[in-house]
Amino acid sequence: MSDVHEIGSPSLEAEGRSDWTRDEIRALFDLPFLDLLFEAQTVHRRHHPPNEVQLSTLLSIKTGGCPEDCAYCPQSAHYDTGVDAEKLMPLDKVLAEARTARDAGASRFCMGAAWRSPKDRDLDRVCAMIEGVKSLGLETCVTLGMLTEPQAQKLKAAGLDYYNHNLDTSPDFYGQIISTRTYEDRLETLEHVRAAGIHVCCGGIVGMGESREDRIGMIATLASLPEHPESVPINMLVRVGGTPLVQVDALDALEFVRTIGVARITMPASVVRLSAGRAEMSEETQALCFLAGANSIFYGPKLLTTPNPAQDRDRALMDKLGLVPRL
Ligand code: SAM
Ligand code: DTB
Ligand code: SF4
């Protein structure tokens, strides 16, 4: 047997490795489910408080009309999804939403814009939003598409804590999902964010019709970044009418749990977010995701354009599981 996936093997004890191979990651996916969960929970407890969940609230500050053709996305102008293009939201409205999120218990406020990349004049307005949200005592995160290095530096100067930019899938499957920008473009933006000293939030989507090998390739890329992203969102595809992926078969929930567990083991110090897809997920599946090492969720009734569980339902689930919000 390879020493790679033996439970408790020295290679699994290692922290923050950036030299994960696909073979090692495949071996983790191939573990018996209970062994994988045990290992993931063991790693989790070495690095994180066992019963804490970080709560982030999302707001779409600029919705729809996006020139990119991401096959999963309701906001792409290429597909008729019923999401209308809107203008950038005014500052006062953003701050009112942030205050509501804070009062409901969120610790981070994440603002998303359906742009390929921000125009400099729009970036100035986003910087004002970051400053305002921070002054409410919340952590800030934005996701605005591709960034140049000076743009990343500007966001840093405004006080930005996290930038979300997902690799979405494996390098091999990527071309079947997006044609308007490359994997290399994504990696370049991540470098600019890192170089500016902003925390990186980077993960992907599963359930897009990819193979397990693609899930392996996605985790391998994330876990092989020179520094692991501080935050790793794992999204279950939300199948939206009008997008090319609406007809894709649903991914087995246990395979989703496995993906979370492998992310936890390979990126031990990262916060792994059980992201999109919870509205259609049972409490039992979500509990298994927490057992597999997820320790963050999106909190609030809406993601960007699609539904998320209501806050009182999430509070009830957390109470049932004895989970407490990370302060
Ligand atoms: N336009 C920016 C970009 O793509 O980087 C920021 C917003 S974009 C909506 C942020 C992320 O949301 C995407 O990278 C993708 O991972 C996720 N996402 C979008 N639509 C989704 C869906 N239907 N199901 C699951 N995740 C989705
Ligand atoms: C991430 O990984 N998931 C969030 C956030 N980062 C920006 C977005 C999920 C979007 C789901 C589809 C929608 O609501 O439009
Ligand atoms: Fe645009 Fe982002 Fe949606 Fe792609 S994921 S279509 S870049 S909003």
Side-chain angles (χ1 to χ4, degrees):
M1 197 205 274
S2 126
D3 65 347
V4 166
H5 58 277
E6 253 174 70
I7 300 301
S9 74
S11 57
L12 288 184
E13 299 289 329
E15 292 180 20
R17 288 178 47 200
S18 284
D19 58 353
W20 286 95
T21 66
R22 281 196 183 213
D23 284 347
E24 288 176 301
I25 291 171
R26 190 176 306 109
L28 291 171
F29 267 97
D30 284 344
L31 281 173
F33 187 72
L34 300 185
D35 287 349
L36 174 62
L37 255 64
F38 181 75
E39 185 58 30
Q41 181 62 203
T42 305
V43 170
H44 187 70
R45 281 170 186 257
R46 272 205 296 270
H47 293 268
H48 305 271
N51 298 301
E52 283 189 8
V53 176
Q54 187 273 329
L55 304 179
S56 288
T57 295
L58 271 172
L59 176 69
S60 180
I61 56 170
K62 196 278 163 209
T63 303
C66 184
E68 304 276 26
D69 67 354
C70 312
Y72 48 76
C73 188
Q75 303 200 69
S76 166
H78 296 256
Y79 318 122
D80 191 3
T81 64
V83 173
D84 294 329
E86 291 171 15
K87 292 197 169 128
L88 184 58
M89 202 179 262
L91 177 63
D92 56 347
K93 200 166 169 208
V94 173
L95 295 184
E97 296 278 354
R99 211 170 282 117
T100 305
R102 179 197 62 188
D103 295 346
S107 65
R108 190 177 307 157
F109 195 64
C110 307
M111 296 168 271
W115 289 323
R116 172 175 165 82
S117 52
K119 295 190 184 71
D120 285 338
R121 115 179 86 85
D122 290 328
L123 200 69
D124 289 337
R125 291 182 57 195
V126 173
C127 286
M129 294 174 191
I130 291 165
E131 284 161 13
V133 170
K134 258 191 105 68
S135 70
L136 296 173
L138 285 156
E139 288 181 324
T140 52
C141 176
V142 297
T143 176
L144 315 171
M146 293 184 282
L147 293 183
T148 62
E149 200 165 335
Q151 286 180 323
Q153 281 158 355
K154 210 164 185 180
L155 290 168
K156 175 68 182 174
L160 182 66
D161 297 301
Y162 289 81
Y163 194 82
N164 168 243
H165 200 62
N166 292 337
L167 288 176
D168 281 340
T169 187
S170 68
D172 319 272
F173 192 63
Y174 187 87
Q176 291 187 45
I177 298 297
I178 302 162
S179 78
T180 48
R181 53 172 155 62
T182 64
Y183 213 70
E184 210 36 61
D185 290 332
R186 299 298 267 187
L187 290 167
E188 210 171 278
T189 289
L190 292 171
E191 278 170 28
H192 296 157
V193 171
R194 222 2 130 204
I198 300 166
H199 294 319
V200 171
C201 173
C202 180
I205 312 178
V206 295
M208 297 196 292
E210 78 285 347
S211 62
R212 177 179 276 187
E213 203 53 38
D214 292 313
R215 291 186 282 280
I216 292 166
M218 177 179 86
I219 301 280
T221 312
L222 291 169
S224 305
L225 290 170
E227 275 179 80
H228 292 164
E230 283 77 8
S231 167
V232 179
I234 305 290
N235 297 276
M236 178 74 111
L237 174 71
V238 181
R239 290 170 293 176
V240 177
T243 64
L245 296 184
V246 67
Q247 301 284 18
V248 129
D249 286 341
L251 182 75
D252 177 49
L254 297 182
E255 182 68 8
F256 183 77
V257 176
R258 273 185 194 275
T259 309
I260 299 252
V262 176
R264 163 51 64 231
I265 293 168
T266 53
M267 293 171 277
S270 304
V271 169
V272 175
R273 183 173 305 115
L274 163 53
S275 302
R278 288 196 309 112
E280 292 168 357
M281 226 175 257
S282 71
E283 290 194 339
E284 291 82 354
T285 297
Q286 294 183 61
L288 283 174
C289 290
F290 295 128
L291 191 63
N295 58 346
S296 169
I297 56 171
F298 286 124
Y299 181 65
K302 207 168 163 194
L303 293 166
L304 291 172
T305 65
T306 64
N308 195 45
Q311 274 138 326
D312 56 350
R313 270 191 53 198
D314 277 342
R315 283 281 178 186
L317 176 60
M318 288 173 68
D319 284 349
K320 252 201 245 188
L321 300 175
L323 293 171
V324 294
R326 197 188 82 186
L327 297 174

